[in-house]
Amino acid sequence: MLRQVKPKNARSKRELAKREPLAHENTKTVLLLRGTSCSSLVQDLFSDINALKRPFSIRFTKKNDIHPFEDASSLEFFSQKNDASLLLFGSHSKKRPHCMTWVRCFGGQVLDMMETYVIKDTARTLMQFKGEKCKVGMKPLLSFSGAQFESPVSNQYTLAKGILADFFRGGEAATIDVEGLQLMINFAAGEDSQDGSAAKIHMRCWRIVTKRSGQKVPRVEVEEIGPRIDFTIGRIKEAEASVWKEAMKKPKGTEPKVKKNIETDLVGDKIGRIHLGRQDLTELQTRKMKGLKRDREVDPEEVVDDMTSVSDGDVDAEQAKRQRTT
């Protein structure tokens, strides 16, 4: 359960009021920290991640004696002090080489963590790729490839998908400009090796380039811009059920009101249903035509007699005409 801090004075009460959850949260800030020993490879990758996340990232270069899985109180202090709910901690040791620990916080406390080990042989930094880079503040397109990410049972790969999506998703956008879609980040999970080791996760960053095609739709090409990171998952710490339930709560008033008899199909079209009462067809107004009108004062039997007398007169006139011709 989350700790409830009671304010001791008016000043602390105002500070706690600023930290209360909002109906529409701000964009999450990433805080980059390093331990007492951190390899140059991890520090270079931190610079690249800082460049991708700018301006929603803060990087500290001083050494910190922190062991996230043993004592996370220092991480919680940094999270509250800098209003950063996402932390990335780098360290290096013989047992855990080129280690990057991804941390998510909720309410100023650690929610869950994931430890990854970077493979040095395949790692490439941003500066090792030639060509134009993406502009600052670009919202990336995220893609996850691999059956491990879609597992119905919670495991280390589903946890990795949630954490990585939170780190790189950027801010919420009400509208999308096609010109702003310049960055794509792909995470691919390979198959488990035959020796029993877990599958690696491959991170690739691409710049989307649109070129002329002679038609209305431009030709789309992608260019790798880095960083290129391959890592394996180490230790993980999943969130407690009660804390996770509280973190997933939605504030009241944000959900759209449900309107009766109005639905939206898969395409996005709005479909409405109208309920009508029983109609009296005797009072139905039809189209008025003069040929269908009938004098109300004339008896229908008299009209029939007139029609028969007219038909008899026509027969007599026809017989007289035949006699004259003969």
Side-chain angles (χ1 to χ4, degrees):
M1 295 294 293
L2 294 175
R3 295 193 302 267
Q4 299 293 334
V5 180
K6 294 183 179 180
K8 297 181 179 179
N9 49 40
R11 181 181 177 183
S12 59
K13 186 177 181 180
R14 289 193 298 269
E15 289 297 325
L16 290 175
K18 293 179 182 179
R19 299 177 184 177
E20 289 182 356
L22 305 174
H24 299 282
E25 293 288 345
N26 301 326
T27 304
K28 295 181 179 180
T29 303
V30 177
L31 179 62
L32 305 172
L33 301 169
R34 58 160 296 179
T36 52
S37 67
C38 184
S39 62
S40 60
L41 174 62
V42 173
Q43 296 184 47
D44 293 340
L45 294 177
F46 272 23
S47 299
D48 298 345
I49 295 174
N50 185 37
L52 291 177
K53 287 293 300 178
R54 198 177 298 155
F56 304 109
S57 64
I58 305 171
R59 187 187 177 192
F60 290 166
T61 56
K62 289 186 178 181
K63 298 180 180 180
N64 300 280
D65 188 11
I66 300 175
H67 302 279
F69 285 87
E70 284 75 21
D71 184 14
S73 58
S74 298
L75 295 178
E76 294 174 353
F77 169 77
F78 280 114
S79 175
Q80 296 177 9
K81 194 73 174 177
N82 298 277
D83 192 19
S85 58
L86 302 172
L87 296 96
L88 187 56
F89 181 77
S91 61
H92 177 74
S93 65
K94 185 177 181 181
K95 187 177 181 180
R96 299 181 177 88
H98 313 294
C99 179
M100 297 169 62
T101 306
W102 311 73
V103 185
R104 283 193 298 187
C105 295
F106 172 70
Q109 301 178 35
V110 172
L111 180 65
D112 50 12
M113 289 188 291
M114 176 184 67
E115 201 174 56
T116 58
Y117 309 129
V118 179
I119 300 174
K120 184 178 180 180
D121 297 336
T122 58
R124 298 290 183 274
T125 61
L126 194 68
M127 299 302 296
Q128 291 178 317
F129 290 90
K130 297 181 180 180
E132 186 180 353
K133 309 300 180 184
C134 291
K135 298 179 181 179
V136 177
M138 289 287 108
K139 183 178 176 64
L141 299 173
L142 300 180
S143 64
F144 292 86
S145 307
Q148 289 87 343
F149 291 128
E150 306 300 331
S151 175
V153 182
S154 178
N155 55 24
Q156 56 184 355
Y157 292 97
T158 57
L159 177 64
K161 180 180 179 181
I163 291 178
L164 293 173
D166 258 357
F167 264 80
F168 294 100
R169 64 191 298 265
E172 295 184 0
T175 57
I176 299 176
D177 187 4
V178 180
E179 294 295 330
L181 300 177
Q182 299 182 5
L183 177 62
M184 183 181 70
I185 304 177
N186 174 256
F187 298 95
E191 299 294 335
D192 295 338
S193 59
Q194 296 180 356
D195 56 357
S197 59
K200 302 175 184 177
I201 296 179
H202 310 278
M203 175 182 170
R204 302 290 184 270
C205 300
W206 308 84
R207 188 173 74 92
I208 302 174
V209 184
T210 55
K211 297 183 178 181
R212 293 182 179 180
S213 62
Q215 300 176 357
K216 291 184 178 180
V217 181
R219 190 177 82 248
V220 179
E221 296 181 359
V222 291
E223 298 176 357
E224 189 174 1
I225 61 173
R228 180 191 298 175
I229 308 174
D230 296 337
F231 51 81
T232 57
I233 301 177
R235 295 179 294 177
I236 61 172
K237 178 187 176 183
E238 296 184 344
E240 298 180 3
S242 58
V243 180
W244 181 260
K245 184 178 180 181
E246 182 129 6
M248 295 300 291
K249 277 185 179 180
K250 294 183 179 180
K252 295 181 179 179
T254 57
E255 297 182 357
K257 294 182 179 180
V258 179
K259 296 182 180 180
K260 292 184 177 180
N261 304 323
I262 296 179
E263 300 175 353
T264 305
D265 58 3
L266 297 176
V267 185
D269 297 334
K270 188 180 291 185
I271 301 174
R273 185 179 300 158
I274 300 175
H275 296 276
L276 298 176
R278 189 171 182 179
Q279 294 181 345
D280 187 4
L281 300 180
T282 59
E283 299 180 358
L284 186 65
Q285 180 65 43
T286 58
R287 185 176 179 184
K288 296 180 180 180
M289 296 179 63
K290 293 183 178 180
L292 299 178
K293 281 189 175 181
R294 186 175 61 192
D295 193 0
R296 296 181 181 179
E297 299 178 357
V298 179
D299 191 3
E301 295 181 357
E302 296 180 0
V303 174
V304 174
D305 294 340
D306 293 341
M307 293 176 65
T308 53
S309 61
V310 171
S311 60
D312 294 341
D314 294 341
V315 173
D316 295 340
E318 186 68 22
Q319 291 178 356
K321 185 177 180 182
R322 290 178 182 177
Q323 293 175 1
R324 286 194 219 100
T325 54
T326 54

